Amino acid sequence: MTRQRILTVAAALFAERGYRATSMQEIADRVGITKAALYYHFAAKEEVLHELTGPVLDELEQALNEAEAAGDAETVRWRAIEAFLDVHLRHRDTLLMLVRDMTLLVQAPVADRFRAAIALANTLVSGPRPGLAQRVRSAQVVAGLADPVVIFRDVPPAKLRRLILDGTRTLLAIDGPAADGPRPSDADAAPEPRTRRAGGRPAALTAADAEKVRRLRKTGRLGVDELAQRYGVSRATIYRVLKTS
């Protein structure tokens, strides 16, 4: 119990003041124990750091390995994206600590594992045989999954998760699982089934339907995939409509 309390307090102090600026005496004072009692549980501050970062790295590596085995490239991509984001959301204080003390990501023993995990995430998001443009875009996506978790650390995790994934879909111009939201109102009832052009190509949206698509997406009620299914068009068509709003 005391050991876990020490870790909780240390994580908060490291996030607040930085790892190097926090002393073992300050940790002991905040926990409400003597410095000798603190050293009974942890022989050095480095041990506290390893104990805090270990679970993050273990979870991240396991989640990415599971995503890699998911099957097709699209499923792998989105499982990797969501896994990377969810681990960071669960360990916000540790992430903030690492960002405040960037030297930890260069000098600490955990640095190699973090770099390897980020490299694997980039590879899974890029997909098979990516070109340079796709690799750059994927690196932007992976960086963009972690940075908002720190910048907007006061935003509730569920809300921030939805917003980050929405931004990821826009950046990649691909769709993933739609965010949860209220069902559309009767005023936005589903249109009549649309006919397809010769060769199975979806019909284009009418001006009226395009306006409905923009309105529904703006309210967050439906994701791009749901809108495409609802109006019988491709996801690319939905993205084009949204970009012209």
Side-chain angles (χ1 to χ4, degrees):
M1 187 69 177
T2 301
R3 185 180 181 87
Q4 185 55 51
R5 173 66 177 157
I6 291 170
L7 292 172
T8 300
V9 168
L13 280 172
F14 292 165
E16 175 186 331
R17 305 190 64 233
Y19 169 77
R20 299 189 186 283
T22 301
S23 68
M24 291 289 272
Q25 184 65 61
E26 288 172 309
I27 296 173
D29 291 344
R30 181 76 66 91
V31 175
I33 59 177
T34 65
K35 191 174 181 181
L38 175 59
Y39 277 110
Y40 172 79
H41 293 281
F42 295 97
K45 190 168 64 169
E46 289 77 9
E47 287 189 12
V48 179
L49 174 65
H50 294 161
E51 189 94 3
L52 288 171
T53 55
V56 184
L57 287 162
D58 291 344
E59 286 185 36
L60 191 56
E61 290 167 352
Q62 179 179 347
L64 291 175
N65 288 334
E66 290 175 356
E68 188 174 16
D72 64 278
E74 192 72 1
T75 301
V76 168
R77 172 182 288 120
W78 276 99
R79 288 197 179 178
I81 287 171
E82 293 183 339
F84 194 89
L85 174 58
D86 289 341
V87 170
H88 283 75
L89 285 170
R90 282 195 296 272
H91 298 277
R92 272 177 157 179
D93 281 347
T94 302
L95 181 61
L96 181 57
M97 170 194 73
L98 293 170
V99 170
R100 283 189 181 278
D101 243 322
M102 295 299 289
T103 55
L104 296 177
L105 294 175
V106 177
Q107 300 174 0
V110 299
D112 288 342
R113 289 181 68 188
F114 269 112
R115 283 194 292 266
I118 292 171
L120 176 57
N122 285 335
T123 297
L124 299 182
V125 174
S126 295
R129 298 180 297 280
L132 177 60
Q134 181 62 26
R135 288 162 54 204
V136 169
R137 185 69 59 88
S138 298
Q140 289 176 294
V141 166
V142 173
L145 293 172
D147 290 354
V149 174
V150 173
I151 297 170
F152 303 102
R153 58 186 177 274
D154 295 327
V155 177
K159 181 177 182 180
L160 187 58
R161 183 184 193 275
R162 176 176 59 81
L163 293 173
I164 292 173
L165 291 177
D166 279 350
T168 299
R169 294 184 186 100
T170 300
L171 185 60
L172 285 177
I174 59 175
D175 193 37
D180 292 335
R183 296 182 64 82
S185 65
D186 292 339
D188 293 315
E192 293 297 320
R194 303 176 64 83
T195 59
R196 290 179 174 267
R197 296 173 181 165
R201 295 177 58 198
L205 287 173
T206 66
D209 284 346
E211 183 58 33
K212 288 181 180 179
V213 165
R214 296 186 190 103
R215 184 168 67 250
L216 286 169
R217 191 69 186 101
K218 186 175 182 180
T219 62
R221 290 173 175 173
L222 296 176
V224 172
D225 190 61
E226 289 182 81
L227 288 168
Q229 292 179 1
R230 183 173 182 176
Y231 285 89
V233 296
S234 68
R235 288 176 293 183
T237 297
I238 297 296
Y239 277 112
R240 282 195 296 271
V241 167
L242 295 175
K243 288 179 180 179
T244 57
S245 59

